[in-house]
Amino acid sequence: ATFIQSIENTFMLSPEARLRQALSDTGECSFGIVAIEAWVINDKKTRLVRPEGSWWRDPFYQPPAQMDEDLCRQSVKKLEDPRAKGYVEAKPVQPGVGLVGQLWAEKTVKNVRSSDQIPSGSVHGLYSESYRSFLFKLKSQTKGKQFIMSYVEESLIWRELQFLLSDPDLIPDNRLRTFIDAGIGRVAGVPFELPNKRGIVLFYAKTETRIESLVDKRNEEFLIRSASLIGSVLALSDSMIASWEAKQDKLAIIEAGRKPPTDIKMNKCFDDVDSNSTTFDSFVDDIEISSNVPDSPHSTNNAELGATRKSPRCLAAPHQRLVMLKDKIFDVHERPQTPPGMHSVDCIWVFVGSFLTLISISYVSEYIPLRGSIPLPPLGAFVTLLYGLTSAPASQPRSAIYGCTIAGCIALALSYIPMNLVNLRISLAASLSISFMAFFGVPHPPAGGLAVYLSTSDYPDWISLLLYFLGALIAIAIAMVVNNLNEKRMYPLYWRLVPTSCCHKKKH
């Protein structure tokens, strides 16, 4: 606060104004970008936080033609104006949760090509003629007497917000829905990493923007380099304040007469500016880019909005249902895009965690002084969730414990059915388990496999169920250690072993 007050008498930009200016310059010079925001990871590596001033939107933004203009403008106000009804705050998020956490946890930039030879042409020609933006890395090794420079060609991965919203493995995100209602349909994330600051910059585009224009070589190169600039501005803010405080301490010592004034060179600018000259406030007002939008009319009520988004009725005629079935199976329209693969470093983490978990459970199973052993097949599926879909609701301890309890009790209760009807027993156990898990909101795929495993026994095998819970607890304990050692992962995202309400109907 003292730093902000001191710069009001100078022409120096505040950290927020400097960050806002960097975002504005990026948005104005890029093509198809309608909004930009920057997030940084906190010191404990547990939350992604959006600093003050790290949001920009095109001041001339127009909603897509095919969408309700009033709904779009109201959604934009919900994202920006804290006084708006239904304001969606950009709260700190965990890695892997929500739109920001998901893009932070996954690979957001893909490598297209690599080479050990410098392309022909000067550096300027290289930047302008490359198909993708090049990241150069100097190698210390030499071949003969020539230094070899290697580069990796990278391209942004644009994600469809609608497909992310419909992904069952992601926790529902109200802010993601608000972006879609505002007419923003695409997002790309570019991470940045500095010695004292790490984070990600998100670039948003409208649904109607052609993907060919967004992936233009010059546009992508500029966005990737702008993300580094924005990260540098964020890192500079803390250093600038610390340096200013150190300078004030030195000046205080000088004024107290403890050191000669000639020991420190003082850089006071604009000392001759009188009190009637242009102030800092008016100067900032001239250069800052406003992020407010024109007030949208509030005449649209909930009934009108509901009338424009009524869900279609179920088709009654059999031939219409057959047509619907054919259209869904052989849909010629755009299908949801497949998620990108993991980075090679993340794959190593997956291997280490899976190997440690399964080998630990196997050794424990050998030395248990009880009849039977730990059921490994459903635990193999559970390990896949723990390290392959760490942030999915089905991977959390709540779903694992409650889901396996439901499936185990149902399977053991049905094991009294005679063995000559074992096919009926298996089908009923798995089907009822899946239905009840869905009803209570604790879907857990390995629990379906556990129900099949327990229902094939000749008698109610309660010991195998208890041994499975022992293996699941070991897997959860190891996953908490391995996943939380990775800066891009966090497990568990929640516990909530005592649900507040289990049997209520969810509003969609």
Side-chain angles (χ1 to χ4, degrees):
T2 308
F3 173 74
I4 298 299
Q5 293 175 1
S6 67
I7 66 175
E8 291 181 353
N9 298 324
T10 67
F11 287 95
M12 185 171 60
L13 288 178
S14 66
E16 294 181 13
R18 181 176 285 102
L19 176 60
R20 195 176 295 113
Q21 185 68 37
L23 294 175
S24 175
D25 292 343
T26 302
E28 294 292 341
C29 296
S30 58
F31 179 83
I33 304 301
V34 297
I36 307 173
E37 63 178 351
W39 294 73
V40 296
I41 192 75
N42 62 359
D43 295 335
K44 296 182 179 180
K45 305 295 189 298
T46 58
R47 294 289 189 278
L48 285 162
V49 184
R50 197 182 80 177
E52 293 292 333
S54 58
W55 165 263
W56 173 86
R57 179 185 53 80
D58 185 1
F60 304 103
Y61 172 72
Q62 294 295 330
Q66 69 274 15
M67 298 189 66
D68 185 4
E69 184 175 354
D70 292 339
L71 175 61
C72 289
R73 295 195 179 279
Q74 289 177 5
S75 300
V76 170
K77 293 193 68 174
K78 290 180 182 179
L79 293 171
E80 298 178 341
D81 190 1
R83 299 167 297 178
K85 184 178 180 180
Y87 170 65
V88 182
E89 183 182 0
K91 298 180 180 179
V93 297
Q94 300 165 320
V97 178
L99 173 63
V100 181
Q102 178 68 16
L103 293 178
W104 166 258
E106 70 182 17
K107 185 172 67 172
T108 56
V109 179
K110 61 182 179 180
N111 297 338
V112 180
R113 184 181 52 148
S114 62
S115 176
D116 286 335
Q117 297 180 355
I118 304 177
S120 59
S122 62
V123 174
H124 176 74
L126 173 65
Y127 286 165
S128 60
E129 297 175 0
S130 61
Y131 182 69
R132 292 291 186 265
S133 60
F134 295 94
L135 299 181
F136 288 89
K137 296 180 181 178
L138 284 174
K139 291 184 177 180
S140 58
Q141 61 182 358
T142 61
K143 293 184 178 181
K145 295 183 178 181
Q146 296 180 352
F147 287 94
I148 302 299
M149 179 181 290
S150 66
Y151 65 90
V152 177
E153 189 176 342
E154 297 193 343
S155 173
L156 295 181
I157 298 177
W158 287 92
R159 305 296 301 274
E160 299 287 344
L161 295 184
Q162 187 64 48
F163 296 156
L164 290 174
L165 182 66
S166 59
D167 190 346
D169 295 327
L170 298 182
I171 297 177
D173 187 1
N174 186 31
R175 195 163 181 264
L176 178 58
R177 164 59 66 183
T178 307
F179 271 111
I180 296 175
D181 292 340
I184 299 175
R186 290 190 173 95
V187 62
V190 180
F192 60 86
E193 182 173 358
L194 296 168
N196 62 336
K197 192 74 67 176
R198 298 179 67 239
I200 187 172
V201 179
L202 302 185
F203 300 100
Y204 296 96
K206 291 196 291 187
T207 309
E208 60 185 11
T209 305
R210 293 178 58 86
I211 192 66
E212 293 82 3
S213 302
L214 294 174
V215 299
D216 179 78
K217 56 184 179 181
R218 294 166 296 180
N219 199 47
E220 281 193 342
E221 181 179 349
F222 174 69
L223 293 179
I224 293 177
R225 280 156 175 72
S226 296
S228 301
L229 171 64
I230 294 170
S232 300
V233 173
L234 287 168
L236 177 65
S237 301
D238 297 337
S239 301
M240 182 170 58
I241 295 176
S243 177
W244 178 85
E245 291 176 348
K247 179 180 178 180
Q248 299 307 310
D249 295 338
K250 297 290 185 181
L251 294 177
I253 295 175
I254 293 174
E255 292 176 359
R258 299 178 183 178
K259 272 192 175 183
T262 56
D263 287 353
I264 298 178
K265 186 179 296 183
M266 298 171 56
N267 297 323
K268 290 187 176 180
C269 300
F270 309 105
D271 286 340
D272 298 333
V273 179
D274 57 352
S275 58
N276 297 327
S277 61
T278 304
T279 62
F280 174 78
D281 294 332
S282 61
F283 178 77
V284 171
D285 291 338
D286 291 337
I287 64 172
E288 286 188 348
I289 304 298
S290 175
S291 61
N292 296 327
V293 297
D295 294 337
S296 58
H298 298 278
S299 58
T300 305
N301 52 29
N302 293 332
E304 293 174 350
L305 292 177
T308 59
R309 294 189 291 179
K310 289 183 178 179
S311 59
R313 288 187 172 182
C314 296
L315 303 177
H319 70 278
Q320 291 179 332
R321 289 186 178 273
L322 292 176
V323 172
M324 179 183 65
L325 179 64
K326 178 183 71 67
D327 292 339
K328 287 185 176 181
I329 297 176
F330 305 100
D331 186 17
V332 297
H333 300 288
E334 186 177 6
R335 289 279 189 175
Q337 60 184 151
T338 57
M342 285 189 180
H343 195 274
S344 57
V345 177
D346 293 330
C347 293
I348 296 176
W349 282 91
V350 172
F351 170 79
V352 172
S354 304
F355 179 80
L356 291 178
T357 302
L358 291 175
I359 198 170
S360 301
I361 296 174
S362 299
Y363 276 111
V364 171
S365 179
E366 289 183 0
Y367 296 99
I368 291 179
L370 294 175
R371 174 179 53 83
S373 59
I374 298 178
L376 290 179
L379 284 174
F382 186 30
V383 171
T384 304
L385 289 177
L386 290 176
Y387 301 101
L389 295 171
T390 307
S391 59
S395 306
Q396 306 309 310
R398 178 175 181 267
S399 297
I401 295 175
Y402 286 127
C404 292
T405 301
I406 293 172
C409 293
I410 291 176
L412 293 178
L414 294 177
S415 62
Y416 291 98
I417 298 177
M419 278 299 296
N420 56 351
L421 298 176
V422 65
N423 294 331
L424 176 63
R425 183 199 299 181
I426 294 174
S427 302
L428 279 177
S431 302
L432 290 175
S433 300
I434 296 171
S435 301
F436 276 92
M437 284 189 294
F439 178 77
F440 289 107
V442 287
H444 189 61
L450 178 63
V452 174
Y453 178 88
L454 295 177
S455 60
T456 57
S457 177
D458 297 336
Y459 53 91
D461 192 2
W462 293 94
I463 295 179
S464 294
L465 178 60
L466 296 178
L467 291 176
Y468 176 83
F469 277 114
L470 175 61
L473 292 177
I474 296 174
I476 291 174
I478 297 177
M480 286 191 296
V481 176
V482 175
N483 284 326
N484 290 327
L485 288 177
N486 190 334
E487 294 181 352
K488 292 188 176 182
R489 292 170 176 259
M490 186 173 181
Y491 184 85
L493 298 180
Y494 56 84
W495 288 94
R496 298 176 189 169
L497 297 180
V498 182
T500 56
S501 59
C502 297
C503 302
H504 68 282
K505 292 184 178 180
K506 297 181 180 179
K507 295 181 180 180
H508 296 278

